[in-house]
Amino acid sequence: MRGIWPILFAYFDASGRLDRDAMRRQVESAIAWGAPGIAVLGVATEVGKLSVDERRSVIRWAAEDIAGRVPLAVTIAGETVAAQRELADYAVAQGAGFLILQPPPAAARGEIDAAGCEAFFSDVMRGQPVPVGIQNAPEYLGFGLSPEAIVRLADRRPEFRILKGEASSVIIERTIAAVGDRLAVLNGRGGLELLENLEAGCAGMIVAPDNADHQHAIHAALAAGRADEALERYRQVLPAIVFAMQSLDTLICYGKRIAAWRMGFEVEHDRAPALGPTEFGLRMAREHARRLGPLPPTEATPATRMAERASGAEGAAHDQSGADRAS
């Protein structure tokens, strides 16, 4: 896993069910702007609000829509080793090329200590046929392993090859120094400190789709040795990153809408518990969406083609909402 990987938002239709068309459009858009891979079921996908059947649907739909064009990474959450292994088996059967494990919720509740969580991860990883990572995100998940524990786990389990961090560049740099070449380390946090993270040695980032295309262009500019261009591009996109990344709730509320508007449709429903948008917040989010510009058009669905024919950004969004409801 290298480069900028978008992790799909969970979009819901007016009746509160997962919106199949919106999930497909995210995949088509990401592939159109050149995403090296696509991830699902992390915190941006509101995995904690999804039933097991819904999680399976997200995996199956993503695999169907990707159709082998880019790799699929699936975040695995669950209370028990058996639950995580069952979902991991399903993801691999659907074509997932990478698995990223979240710590069991009991770790955040203090019912499992670091040694217990390390053993939990080891049991889930054992024998997996694809590279496995862990999401080390204490700010969002309430628990994280120390660099020393991560090194022990990497030495213990050959399947463990990826670390998905959610930390400052300073912490990530220390982690990368500790793990050496054992793991590919990717950070998140919506792209905050993107340049610093790449300078620290991150293989890439896993971020929500609201501005992942811009971060992809920044990563490409750096890889081509165009550091000045990368810095200027980052200056332009940073206000949108800061706006959406005030908290996870803010990302789900406004970042999801920014991505939807850039793809030409409206968010029809928020699944509780959720931060409700304000009039001011929506106005600021729309301005960020305008500055970021439209995402590449996707021609996979009739609803998308209908939106593209609509005149004006607002008209396109309203027409799309109606088309989605009609379907």
Side-chain angles (χ1 to χ4, degrees):
M1 293 183 69
R2 302 191 66 85
I4 308 300
W5 287 52
I7 184 157
L8 304 188
F9 284 121
Y11 285 104
F12 303 98
D13 62 21
S15 64
R17 297 171 300 186
L18 283 167
D19 188 325
R20 177 69 181 96
D21 185 63
M23 302 304 288
R24 179 184 295 114
R25 291 177 64 165
Q26 290 185 92
V27 169
E28 293 298 332
S29 178
I31 292 174
W33 59 251
I38 291 171
V40 296
L41 292 185
V43 291
T45 321
E46 300 174 72
V47 63
K49 302 178 187 178
L50 304 180
S51 68
V52 173
D53 285 343
E54 287 176 322
R55 296 176 191 184
R56 287 179 174 238
S57 292
V58 169
I59 295 169
R60 185 176 68 255
W61 293 347
E64 290 173 357
D65 297 338
I66 291 170
R69 290 176 289 176
V70 296
L72 170 65
V74 176
T75 301
I76 303 296
E79 283 277 4
T80 66
V81 169
Q84 291 207 7
R85 287 190 67 91
E86 183 177 356
L87 189 60
D89 290 346
Y90 181 82
V92 171
Q94 294 298 312
F98 302 92
L99 303 173
I100 302 174
L101 312 181
Q102 288 187 347
R109 298 194 297 265
E111 299 167 10
I112 299 177
D113 62 12
C117 192
E118 192 177 331
F120 181 100
F121 282 141
S122 179
D123 289 343
V124 178
M125 290 176 182
R126 183 176 290 107
Q128 295 295 346
V130 300
V132 184
I134 64 171
Q135 184 171 12
N136 210 47
E139 291 182 1
Y140 299 140
L141 302 177
F143 180 86
L145 293 179
S146 68
E148 295 76 18
I150 292 168
V151 169
R152 283 196 304 271
L153 185 59
D155 289 339
R156 180 180 179 183
R157 291 260 51 93
E159 301 88 351
F160 183 25
R161 288 294 174 262
I162 305 157
L163 179 67
K164 169 57 163 59
E166 300 283 357
S168 74
S169 62
V170 173
I171 293 174
I172 284 293
E173 189 276 334
R174 287 167 43 203
T175 302
I176 292 172
V179 302
D181 60 0
R182 296 174 178 85
L183 306 172
V185 179
L186 298 95
N187 207 348
R189 296 205 308 158
L192 290 170
E193 297 185 292
L194 172 60
L195 300 182
E196 290 86 348
N197 281 300
L198 297 176
E199 175 69 20
C202 283
M205 306 285 280
I206 302 178
V207 296
D210 47 324
N211 60 72
D213 56 321
H214 287 270
Q215 296 189 46
H216 174 70
I218 293 166
H219 183 271
L222 280 176
R226 302 192 303 272
D228 290 344
E229 176 189 335
L231 178 58
E232 181 56 32
R233 284 180 175 271
Y234 190 56
R235 285 172 174 164
Q236 293 172 8
V237 75
L238 186 56
I241 294 174
V242 172
F243 174 80
M245 287 307 299
Q246 294 300 307
S247 68
L248 180 58
D249 288 340
T250 305
L251 176 67
I252 298 303
C253 177
Y254 295 111
K256 181 193 290 190
R257 285 170 166 81
I258 290 170
W261 292 330
R262 296 187 66 207
M263 288 184 283
F265 65 92
E266 290 284 346
V267 173
E268 293 194 40
H269 178 77
D270 291 308
R271 179 171 287 186
L275 177 68
T278 68
E279 181 178 349
F280 175 80
L282 290 173
R283 180 157 56 87
M284 294 298 100
R286 281 195 181 274
E287 180 60 18
H288 284 299
R290 184 192 68 78
R291 291 174 180 168
L292 291 169
L295 280 161
T298 61
E299 300 179 355
T301 65
T304 302
R305 290 192 288 274
M306 183 179 294
E308 290 171 358
R309 289 195 295 268
S311 59
E314 292 293 325
H318 288 300
D319 286 355
Q320 179 57 47
S321 178
D324 287 346
R325 285 193 296 272
S327 66

